[in-house]
Amino acid sequence: MNCVESMFHQLPQTADRLTDAATWEQGARHWPSGEQQTLTCCRVIDETHDVKTFEFRTEDGLPVRFEPGQFMTVSADVHGHRLERCYTISSPPTRPYLVSMTVKRVPGGGMSNWLHESMQPGKQLRAYGPSGTFTATVSATPKVLYLSAGSGVTPLMSMTRAGIDLGLDRDIVFVHSARTPADIVFRKELQRLRELSPRLRTYFVCEDIGNEQDWAGPTGRLSLPLLRDWAPDYREREVFTCGPAGYMSAVRTMLAEGGHDPARYHQESFDFSAGVAVEPAQPEHASGQKSFKVTLSRSSKSFSMTDSDTVLSAARRAGVAIPSSCSQGICGTCKTRVLEGTVDMKHQGGIRDREIERGLRLLCCSRPTSDLVLDL
Ligand SMILES: Cc1cc2nc3c(=O)[nH]c(=O)nc-3n(C[C@H](O)[C@H](O)[C@H](O)COP(=O)(O)OP(=O)(O)OC[C@H]3O[C@@H](n4cnc5c(N)ncnc54)[C@H](O)[C@@H]3O)c2cc1C
Ligand code: FES
C-alpha cells in the first residue's frame, strides 16, 4: 500500500479529496531502496546558522514515490573517501518532483560539513532509494503527537506537510525542542502551517533564550507538566519521536511516568550511539567461537570469519566493499540475499518481514551460524 493509499485507508472521510492525489501518484516512480541514482541539486536554503535544506531533482525528472518520514542514503566522495549517510526526505511525498534533505552540520562530521560547504545548485550526488518504516501511516489513529529535537524535526516535518497538502486536517500536536530560539528549524513554516490547519498545534521549548531577549516560550527541557498543558489528551495520541539519543530516552521516561501506552510510541534515532553498539572484532578463533566460510556468488571471492563478527565488518576486513551506512540495522543499505546458509540477524527496523521471507538479510547486524553464499 503506498502513502496516499494508506492515508486514504485511514481516513475514509477524505476520500473525495484524495481521489485526484491517488490517481496522480500512480505516475510516481518506485525507486527501490537498493537502487542508486544521481540527484542534481537545484536549490539550497539556509534554515538556521547550522542547518541547510538541499533540494534535488532526480535523473529522469520523474516524480518519486515514498512515505513521509522515510530517508535516503546518500553517497559521495568526501576528500578522497567514499562516505554513505542516511538523510530523511524532509519534503513531503505530495511534492514528488523534488526530494529535499535538511542537514545539520555535525562538528568534525565528514558528510554534513561537505554538503554545507560544497553542495550547490547544479552539483550532483548519488543516492539509494527511500527506505525506513518510521512513518505516521503505520497507524490509523487520527490524533498524533510529534516530538522532535534538533535535526530530528525532519521526518515529522515531512509527515506534517503531507497531511496538510492532502487536506487531511489531522489532529496534530507538534512539540519541538531546540537549544535556542535561533536553532528552531522550520520555525516560520510551522507557524504558517498552523494558520492553514487549525487542528495543527505547534509548540517550541528552548534550553536557553540565546540572543532572543523577547522569547515568550518556555525555557528548559520538555517536561510532563508542559506536555499536559499543551496536549492534555496525550495518552490518547500515537506518539512519533525523533532526536538525539539522550532526548529520546528522556521522552520515553517522561511518557512512561505519564502513563502513555508504549505500544503507541514510535521513534527513530539519527544517533548511532543510541543503537546496538557495533562490537569490535574478536581475535579469530578465541575459545568457543565458530569459524565459517563466506562465498560471494557473483565475484567468486570468499573469506573466513568467526561468528563473533558481523558479516559486514568481516567483509570489510577482507577487502570486500558492501554498500552500508548506519551499521545498525536501521537504514537497509546493506540488504543482501543469502543464497545458502543461515545467519543470526538483530535488526532495528531496516528490513521488512516479507523481505526476510524472500531470503534478504542486513549484513551489518547479521552473524553467521553456518557457511554462507551471498548474492554479491
Ligand atoms: C535514518 C537516519 C536519518 C537521518 N536523517 C538526518 C536528517 O534528516 N538530518 C540530519 O542532519 N542528519 C540525519 N541523520 C544523521 C546523518 O546520517 C549523519 O549521521 C550526520 O549528518 C553526521 O554525518 P557526518 O558524516 O557529518 O559525521 P561523521 O563523519 O559520521 O561523524 C559523526 C561524529 O563522529 C565524529 N567522528 C568521525 N570520525 C571519527 C573518528 N575516526 N574518531 C572519533 N570521532 C569521529 C565526528 O567528529 C562527529 O562528531 C540521519 C541518520 C539516520 C540513521
Ligand atoms: S548499513 Fe544500515 S542496515 Fe545495514
Side-chain angles (χ1 to χ4, degrees), residues 217-251:
T219 47
R221 295 197 167 179
L222 178 60
S223 63
L224 208 47
L226 273 181
L227 187 62
R228 284 198 183 109
D229 262 6
W230 290 336
D233 59 353
Y234 68 91
R235 284 197 201 88
E236 296 163 31
R237 291 174 181 269
E238 201 81 10
V239 175
F240 293 84
T241 307
C242 189
Y247 164 81
M248 290 200 303
S249 154
V251 164

Side-chain angles (χ1 to χ4, degrees), residues 59-77:
E59 217 163 5
D60 49 20
L62 289 175
V64 176
R65 194 185 304 162
F66 58 96
E67 295 277 337
Q70 285 193 307
F71 59 88
M72 302 183 285
T73 303
V74 304
S75 174
D77 277 323

Side-chain angles (χ1 to χ4, degrees), residues 50-52 69-73 78 83-90 100-116 131-132 150-155 242 268-272 325-326 328 330-331:
D50 62 355
V51 176
K52 288 186 183 196
Q70 285 193 307
F71 59 88
M72 302 183 285
T73 303
V78 176
L83 294 185
E84 290 189 338
R85 298 285 183 272
C86 311
Y87 291 101
T88 303
I89 305 175
S90 52
S100 302
M101 52 195 213
T102 302
V103 180
K104 185 177 169 68
R105 253 185 206 270
V106 173
M111 181 69 89
S112 59
N113 285 288
W114 178 81
L115 285 166
H116 273 248
S131 181
S151 57
V153 69
T154 51
C242 189
E268 178 152 87
S269 169
F270 288 0
D271 187 343
F272 301 154
S325 176
C326 71
Q328 303 272 332
I330 303 169
C331 71

Side-chain angles (χ1 to χ4, degrees), residues 252-270:
R252 276 197 310 275
T253 307
M254 177 188 78
L255 290 173
E257 278 172 19
H260 184 265
D261 177 2
R264 305 187 69 192
Y265 175 83
H266 312 264
Q267 70 167 37
E268 178 152 87
S269 169
F270 288 0

Side-chain angles (χ1 to χ4, degrees), residues 29-350:
R29 176 185 187 273
H30 174 55
W31 177 14
S33 57
E35 183 186 299
Q36 269 198 339
Q37 67 166 305
T38 302
L39 301 177
T40 304
C41 179
C42 42
R43 210 173 354 248
V44 179
I45 302 162
D46 288 321
E47 303 286 359
T48 69
H49 61 101
D50 62 355
V51 176
K52 288 186 183 196
T53 292
F54 303 92
E55 291 186 350
F56 296 93
R57 61 173 181 274
T58 54
E59 217 163 5
D60 49 20
L62 289 175
V64 176
R65 194 185 304 162
F66 58 96
E67 295 277 337
Q70 285 193 307
F71 59 88
M72 302 183 285
T73 303
V74 304
S75 174
D77 277 323
V78 176
H79 309 306
H81 297 281
R82 174 130 306 254
L83 294 185
E84 290 189 338
R85 298 285 183 272
C86 311
Y87 291 101
T88 303
I89 305 175
S90 52
S91 51
T94 41
R95 302 173 211 166
Y97 287 91
L98 292 179
V99 285
S100 302
M101 52 195 213
T102 302
V103 180
K104 185 177 169 68
R105 253 185 206 270
V106 173
M111 181 69 89
S112 59
N113 285 288
W114 178 81
L115 285 166
H116 273 248
E117 282 150 25
S118 310
M119 189 46 64
Q120 291 165 5
K123 283 214 163 192
Q124 293 187 321
L125 190 69
R126 297 285 290 167
Y128 289 95
S131 181
T133 53
F134 182 69
T135 169
T137 58
V138 295
S139 109
T141 177
K143 285 171 95 171
V144 290
L145 172 60
Y146 293 161
L147 301 176
S148 65
S151 57
V153 69
T154 51
L156 304 171
M157 195 62 188
S158 176
M159 295 178 201
T160 304
R161 285 167 165 162
I164 289 180
D165 282 359
L166 290 167
L168 292 182
D169 197 24
R170 283 189 112 182
D171 182 340
I172 303 172
V173 175
F174 195 146
V175 180
H176 180 67
S177 300
R179 221 156 10 97
T180 72
D183 291 296
I184 300 173
V185 188
F186 304 129
R187 182 177 177 181
K188 281 195 186 135
E189 186 179 347
L190 279 168
Q191 285 164 341
R192 190 177 58 79
L193 292 178
R194 196 172 57 191
E195 285 158 23
L196 288 177
S197 178
R199 295 217 300 156
L200 166 68
R201 282 173 288 146
T202 60
Y203 301 97
F204 304 121
V205 51
C206 295
E207 280 184 41
D208 189 90
I209 61 166
N211 292 329
E212 198 164 309
Q213 298 302 322
D214 55 354
W215 170 249
T219 47
R221 295 197 167 179
L222 178 60
S223 63
L224 208 47
L226 273 181
L227 187 62
R228 284 198 183 109
D229 262 6
W230 290 336
D233 59 353
Y234 68 91
R235 284 197 201 88
E236 296 163 31
R237 291 174 181 269
E238 201 81 10
V239 175
F240 293 84
T241 307
C242 189
Y247 164 81
M248 290 200 303
S249 154
V251 164
R252 276 197 310 275
T253 307
M254 177 188 78
L255 290 173
E257 278 172 19
H260 184 265
D261 177 2
R264 305 187 69 192
Y265 175 83
H266 312 264
Q267 70 167 37
E268 178 152 87
S269 169
F270 288 0
D271 187 343
F272 301 154
S273 59
V276 182
V278 180
E279 292 163 28
Q282 303 292 315
E284 290 231 350
H285 305 296
S287 70
Q289 287 179 12
K290 292 184 186 142
S291 185
F292 296 110
K293 183 179 175 195
V294 180
T295 306
L296 312 183
S297 67
R298 293 192 222 171
S299 58
S300 303
K301 283 185 188 161
S302 65
F303 58 91
S304 297
M305 65 175 294
T306 67
D307 60 355
S308 63
D309 214 352
T310 64
V311 181
L312 180 72
S313 37
R316 273 193 192 139
R317 267 197 302 282
V320 176
I322 296 176
S324 69
S325 176
C326 71
S327 296
Q328 303 272 332
I330 303 169
C331 71
T333 314
C334 63
K335 210 175 286 168
T336 302
R337 194 177 301 278
V338 176
L339 299 173
E340 286 174 32
T342 49
V343 295
D344 176 21
M345 177 172 70
K346 295 207 167 32
H347 71 92
Q348 298 191 70

